[in-house]
Amino acid sequence: MNVSLKWLGTLVDVKGLKPEDMAEVLTCDGIPVEHVIHPAPGIKGVVTGKILKVEKHPDAAHLLVCQLDVGQDEPVQIITSADNVKAGQIVPAALPGAHLPAKHDHNAPGGIKVGDVKIKKGKLRGLPSAGMMCSASEMLLDYNLYPGTEPEGIMILPANTPVGVDFHHVFDLDDVIFEMELTPNRADCFSMVGMALETGAIFNRKVTLPEVKVKEEGPSINGRASIHIAEPEYCSRFCSRLLENVKIGRSPEWIESRLRSNNIRPINNIVDAANYVMLEMGQPMHTYDYDKIAGHSLTLRHAKDGEVLVTLDGEKRTLTSADLVIADEKGAVGLAGVMGGLNSEITESTTSVLLESAVFDSASIRRTSRRLGLRSEASGRYEKGINAKRSAEALNRICQILEEQGACTVAADMLDEYPNPKPEQVIHTSFDAINDYIGIHLPDEQITDILTRLHFKVENNNREIAVTVPEFRLDVEGRHDLAEEVARVYGYANIPITTPWSAIAEGEMSQEQEASILIEDTLINSGLSQVLNYSFMHKDDLKRLNYPETHKVFNAISIMNPISEEYPDLRTTLMPGLIHTLKYNLAQKNSEVSIFEIGRVYYPKALPLTELPVEDNRVSALLSGTVSEEGYPNDHRPYDFFDIKGIVENVLAKLGITDYDIQRSVCPVFHPGVSADFVKDGKVLVSFGELHPAVLDNFDIKQKVYGFSMSLSELNDYISGEVAFQPIPKFPASARDLAILVPEELSDADVEAIITKRGGKHLESLTLFDLYQGKQVPEGYKSMAYSLAFRAPDRTLTDSDVDAWIKKIVDDLEKNGCKLRE
């Protein structure tokens, strides 16, 4: 939003206020001014001149000798190579001593070289030339904003332009523009009227808004046109008026200049008036050629899937059922709140115009605008919120402007569908409550004065007040907002600095936070890279990860306004984000990937959501490719099950978690034969292993992937800050290898339980180092080989000691169907 101070000065008294000081005060009061712009700052000494005579140069066929009246006693002679000049035209003339911000240079980008250009007297082919006539490009003016202006030719000024005046007085180039950086909640300030009301309140200046009156000289619109809101929840108000005997032409210069202050290109008097009122009152409007509207009827509805509309920019748009459209009896004629359709645009042959002024659902307009990549001045205002109370007034204002130009006849009456007008909002509070909230002690009269200047209505009942909120302040909702209004107008700099009382406690991290940092360091030291993914997901990815739809991860919270269609839900597992990161790296030919993420997942206590969800802090990782980098002397060994197992064991060891059991994993993400769970007290601490082949197929991944997933909340009860250690043994260990044939139904855990029980307290370690099934092994059996180490703390063990324990182990194994291998 740009604010022209010349325009603003017609609505509120700003005399005596310096632009830079105004910008500072407005910014401090919550109406941020990003830049103070002085248009055409590089133009100096350029005046308006009228061409009196044009003759060909006697010695150069491509040069013209012009005599100009520039307001001096005598005409001046200027020679030009431009071929668009004629006697009687008024042009910008840079006289000797003038400065221009650019010049034509065919070697420069775009043919224009930017830089200070000083104009001097000179001679061209023997004839004197007292300066130059200027093009829009040489003055760094956007020729698109000046109808009829060419980029190369001399700029031709309106015929009523005074002669001999500073060029800055033409097109309001002596104006000052505030480039605003308004926050979305202040939708009321996205208009000149809103800015005038705000400026008047802050500076305590008189505001004079235009009086809107319409002469309805044509027959009634009733019976000749109709409007309808098919879905009231998406359109709170829809108004329409009819203009007849329309004369299409240029707008008055003052309207074109005010449009240019916001970089809006003047088109014709009808479209310009609609854009002007949008800037003035904040209500976007659209104009339709009445004769092109089938049935002379407009309906607000959702588009049909696949419905096609060619918008005013000439682009063919394929719509969905989520897009709002304005439609006639044949189909869509406009994309509601975004852009009109080419099939109903105003052209030079238009004689009757149907006007539309409506208030659409902000979220719907934003979704359509983002999906189509189509943003406009109108859509930006709809996204922030429109005051429905002003829709009819804005419609009358455009009629008034065109009537005053003699450009139309306004049909009597207005079509107005306003199904659910909002009642006045009244906030009940007290002067003491407002003062306490701010931390100051303003007199009651001063608070009342500030709120009244801001157009609130204040009723005082024994210092308890009822404040009626003006209809255009869509952002004010309660006592805290009223207190903020008082504070910002009073001035934040005037509020004394006080130190609030607080019981200060020494900050410290929770056990879970410390564990998170320790896990992060451990995984990074193990060679993994940390990644950070969105906290969102799509449930389709859960299906591709092999989760059954009955699994708790499908109980996800839907997002009302997702960042894209790919992320409609809050995540319940870290795996979707990680596997997409892995897949992206593989697609970029990075086949060596070892990544992990620490982040929160979200589980609702109930759906629909009525209270804050449960947040679970989880850690997950994926490994794919090789352990070491390619090239000699690295062995390029691929990751395997024991790599991921070792990483997980290292993490648990760092957390001081011991004495856990290993069980076959039931996590559907992992391969059922190459995965395991670390379990303690019946709780699964970690699931790890090779990803299920079906998962890899679903994501089109061609190489093996290993991973793990753990919950910090599950680990929290077992984390120990104590360091467990044992003294270095004084006596040597005695090692034995035991190769046995084991029935297929017995697991490694079953065999280890037997060996541990019979090995006694002196069995120090037990390791499975070989597993084999093949021709040499009888059917129904598998060969398993274990390494056993025995040690006593008080003596060196003898062979007879160890042999006795081995015999007990073998006897018990044979009772369970095992056999020693010969």
Side-chain angles (χ1 to χ4, degrees), residues 333-627:
V333 293
L335 199 53
V338 182
M339 186 175 286
L342 195 63
N343 55 357
S344 60
E345 74 166 332
I346 304 299
T347 64
E348 292 182 357
S349 61
T350 298
T351 57
S352 298
V353 173
L354 196 60
L355 300 175
E356 166 224 306
S357 176
V359 179
F360 305 114
D361 175 63
S362 301
S364 178
I365 300 302
R366 181 173 183 270
R367 284 193 294 268
T368 295
S369 179
R370 287 193 60 179
R371 185 181 67 81
L372 296 176
L374 184 61
R375 291 191 59 82
S376 63
E377 288 281 349
S379 68
R381 283 170 169 77
Y382 277 118
E383 288 176 18
K384 296 171 180 64
I386 298 295
N387 174 23
K389 294 290 181 68
R390 283 190 180 161
S391 297
E393 184 183 8
L395 205 57
N396 286 333
R397 177 63 170 153
I398 185 175
C399 294
Q400 177 189 26
I401 290 172
L402 292 170
E403 265 187 342
E404 290 172 351
Q405 296 175 26
C408 68
T409 300
V410 180
D413 301 319
M414 176 190 297
L415 302 178
D416 186 2
E417 284 213 13
Y418 198 3
N420 299 302
K422 288 186 177 181
E424 283 187 332
Q425 181 187 180
V426 180
I427 299 172
H428 296 275
T429 183
S430 67
F431 292 116
D432 289 337
I434 290 175
N435 275 323
D436 290 344
Y437 194 90
I438 303 172
I440 54 178
H441 300 284
L442 293 181
D444 298 354
E445 297 78 12
Q446 190 171 0
I447 293 177
T448 301
D449 176 62
I450 290 174
L451 291 175
T452 303
R453 282 157 50 190
L454 289 167
H455 310 283
F456 294 86
K457 181 181 177 183
V458 182
E459 295 181 8
N460 184 1
N461 181 16
N462 195 24
R463 304 193 71 246
E464 295 289 326
I465 58 175
V467 182
T468 303
V469 180
E471 80 281 352
F472 58 86
R473 289 303 302 272
L474 306 177
D475 59 310
V476 176
E477 296 182 349
R479 174 177 64 87
H480 54 286
D481 286 331
L482 287 180
E484 184 178 346
E485 293 298 299
V486 172
R488 69 184 184 86
V489 175
Y490 174 67
Y492 294 122
N494 298 323
I495 299 174
I497 299 174
T498 57
T499 303
W501 180 89
S502 175
I504 299 175
E506 182 179 353
E508 60 181 19
M509 289 189 293
S510 66
Q511 178 174 276
E512 188 170 311
Q513 289 172 322
E514 290 181 342
S516 177
I517 293 173
L518 182 59
I519 291 172
E520 180 181 316
D521 291 342
T522 302
L523 293 175
I524 291 173
N525 290 335
S526 299
L528 279 72
S529 298
Q530 187 172 11
V531 298
L532 183 64
N533 293 306
Y534 286 126
S535 297
F536 318 120
M537 67 172 189
H538 198 296
K539 288 182 181 178
D540 287 350
D541 285 335
L542 299 179
K543 297 176 183 177
R544 297 164 73 190
L545 282 165
N546 225 25
Y547 284 108
E549 293 192 23
T550 55
H551 199 282
K552 72 172 185 175
V553 294
F554 279 91
N555 192 30
I557 301 167
S558 297
I559 302 168
M560 294 179 64
N561 191 17
I563 60 172
S564 77
E565 296 178 356
E566 297 176 355
Y567 301 105
D569 305 299
L570 283 176
R571 66 185 179 187
T572 53
T573 168
L574 301 182
M575 278 299 176
L578 279 174
I579 202 161
H580 279 296
T581 300
L582 170 71
K583 186 177 177 181
Y584 176 81
N585 277 270
L586 295 177
Q588 305 305 312
K589 307 303 180 183
N590 176 23
S591 58
E592 317 297 331
V593 183
S594 52
I595 55 176
F596 76 95
E597 181 175 10
I598 301 177
R600 294 188 181 278
V601 298
Y602 307 88
Y603 299 108
K605 296 177 182 177
L607 287 175
L609 204 64
T610 57
E611 55 182 320
L612 292 176
V614 176
E615 298 185 23
D616 184 18
N617 206 15
R618 297 193 67 86
V619 186
S620 295
L622 293 177
L623 308 177
S624 186
T626 58
V627 176

Side-chain angles (χ1 to χ4, degrees), residues 743-800:
E744 287 183 344
E745 62 270 16
L746 286 185
S747 67
D748 170 62
D750 297 331
V751 175
E752 288 191 358
I754 296 170
I755 296 174
T756 302
K757 179 180 178 182
R758 292 305 179 186
K761 64 180 181 179
H762 295 303
L763 179 60
E764 184 180 66
S765 66
L766 171 63
T767 305
L768 174 68
F769 68 87
D770 185 54
L771 173 63
Y772 176 74
Q773 282 182 289
K775 295 181 179 180
Q776 295 84 0
V777 177
E779 186 175 349
Y781 286 86
K782 53 189 173 184
S783 173
M784 304 179 72
Y786 292 88
S787 176
L788 290 70
F790 297 88
R791 192 194 306 268
D794 56 350
R795 71 186 195 280
T796 299
L797 296 175
T798 64
D799 287 342
S800 59

